[in-house]
Amino acid sequence: MTDIKQLLKDYAADSDRVLNELMDLEENIIAPKLLTAMRYTLFSGGKRLRPILTRMTAELLAGDLVSALKVGAALEMIHTYSLIHDDLPSMDNDDFRRGKATNHRVYGEGIAILAGDGLLTYAFNILANLSLPAEKIVRIIQLISDGAGINGMVAGQVLDLEAEDRKIGLKELKEIHRAKTGALFRTAILAGAFCADPEDKEIDALRKYANYLGLTFQIVDDILDVIGDEDKLGKKTGSDEELNKATYPKLMGLDQARAEAENTATLARESLNMFGEKADNLLQLIDYILIRQC
């Protein structure tokens, strides 16, 4: 069986290599401070889960690995832009991210907003220049713009803001996280699939896996905000409570939230049954996410 921690470390290193190559823009950039601010958060120590998901899915389906790594890099840029904006005073007002001062604390709000904008737009430039058939490029761009956009991640962030200081139920909470967190997980997995030649039944199975994986990740993230170690997480805990946000522990209690994470993880595993042992890496990733709550 694969050592998942070592594999994730190796895959993250590969993602960093590709990101560094794509961000080697000094000779062509007209606003050097913008590039510096973009790189600051992009290389602040993320686990690269989204590009890893893209790569693992492409490998599962024997797809184009070079293209998958670039798709994953574009997704990591989009994810990073969302973190920069999420940390702003007008949103979550966080001072630290991954153990470092947040972008706006270092470069000011204006540059931070523009650094996020720069990462988002550059991501689509990368996608447009993939060495894949045109119809696949269009499909991947459509997937990513949907997942990151007005009915995906951005919509989820709006719903999250609207839920502050308001009592909501479990159904509404799941809807928020299905968009805010789950959409980009789903996008990462399906974009990886289209670096290959997936069958419809494979796409259906991977979509189910992605939905349950994203939900598991969010439940564990909510748990960690209550009981996590700030030094290990690299960010302040208890922020959800300070902002009076609805979370799984708040609605269900810690024990029931843990049970819910286990349940969604089981459903994620079952979604991959059709792939057999080929899906071992994706299966182990579920366990890796689960043990973060310990």
Side-chain angles (χ1 to χ4, degrees):
M1 181 177 287
T2 304
D3 179 347
I4 190 64
K5 288 186 179 180
Q6 185 59 50
L7 184 70
L8 293 177
K9 184 178 179 180
D10 292 343
Y11 279 15
D14 286 342
S15 293
D16 280 339
R17 173 181 55 78
V18 174
L19 283 166
N20 268 302
E21 290 171 358
L22 292 168
M23 291 297 292
D24 185 13
L25 301 169
E26 282 81 359
E27 293 182 5
N28 301 311
I29 200 81
I30 63 172
K33 190 173 183 179
L34 172 64
L35 180 62
T36 301
M38 289 164 65
R39 291 181 59 90
Y40 175 78
T41 305
L42 186 62
F43 295 107
S44 65
K47 292 183 176 64
R48 311 304 191 204
L49 276 179
R50 289 150 193 85
I52 286 171
L53 281 167
T54 300
R55 175 178 180 167
M56 284 184 174
T57 306
E59 288 177 335
L60 172 68
L61 301 175
D64 183 332
L65 182 57
V66 172
S67 293
L69 286 168
K70 288 184 178 179
V71 171
L75 281 164
E76 189 69 5
M77 290 179 188
I78 292 170
H79 173 57
T80 303
Y81 120 77
S82 77
L83 298 181
I84 293 172
H85 286 191
D86 206 39
D87 289 336
L88 290 168
S90 57
M91 293 186 68
D92 283 354
N93 194 24
D94 281 322
D95 290 331
F96 294 95
R97 167 74 63 177
R98 298 168 180 162
K100 296 175 65 176
T102 46
N103 201 291
H104 68 275
R105 296 288 295 173
V106 177
Y107 298 101
E109 289 183 46
I111 296 297
I113 291 169
L114 294 168
D117 294 344
L119 287 165
L120 174 63
T121 50
Y122 183 41
F124 284 97
N125 179 284
I126 292 166
L127 295 170
N129 287 285
L130 293 170
S131 297
L132 288 171
E135 62 272 15
K136 285 189 178 183
I137 294 175
V138 171
R139 186 67 183 272
I140 289 170
I141 289 175
Q142 183 182 37
L143 273 170
I144 292 176
S145 59
D146 284 346
I150 59 173
N151 285 312
M153 181 183 68
V154 173
Q157 289 173 316
V158 171
L159 294 174
D160 191 41
L161 283 173
E162 291 179 337
E164 289 179 11
D165 295 317
R166 184 168 63 86
K167 188 175 181 179
I168 66 172
L170 187 58
K171 182 179 179 181
E172 189 173 353
L173 181 62
K174 286 185 177 181
E175 186 60 34
I176 291 171
H177 292 317
R178 189 175 292 115
K180 184 180 179 182
T181 304
L184 215 57
F185 271 71
R186 184 169 59 252
T187 296
I189 290 166
L190 296 182
F194 284 104
C195 291
D197 296 301
E199 298 178 8
D200 289 345
K201 62 181 181 180
E202 291 173 328
I203 289 294
D204 290 341
L206 289 166
R207 184 179 288 112
K208 289 178 183 177
Y209 168 77
N211 288 336
Y212 290 126
L213 184 75
L215 190 53
T216 303
F217 182 90
Q218 186 60 58
I219 296 170
V220 170
D221 209 49
D222 283 357
I223 292 170
L224 288 172
D225 193 69
V226 178
I227 65 168
D229 184 325
E230 290 187 6
D231 290 335
K232 290 181 179 179
L233 294 174
K235 63 179 181 179
K236 182 182 176 183
T237 58
S239 59
D240 289 339
E241 185 64 30
E242 287 181 11
L243 293 169
N244 198 23
K245 288 190 175 187
T247 65
Y248 288 91
K250 189 172 183 178
L251 289 177
M252 309 170 74
L254 271 173
D255 288 344
Q256 189 58 40
R258 285 192 175 105
E260 184 68 12
E262 295 283 355
N263 180 55
T264 55
T266 296
L267 293 170
R269 292 186 192 97
E270 292 173 352
S271 301
L272 296 175
N273 284 344
M274 67 170 292
F275 297 107
E277 293 182 359
K278 291 192 299 180
D280 180 59
N281 288 343
L282 290 173
L283 287 167
Q284 287 201 68
L285 190 59
I286 302 170
D287 297 326
Y288 171 78
I289 288 171
L290 268 181
I291 63 172
R292 292 171 67 237
Q293 67 182 293
C294 300

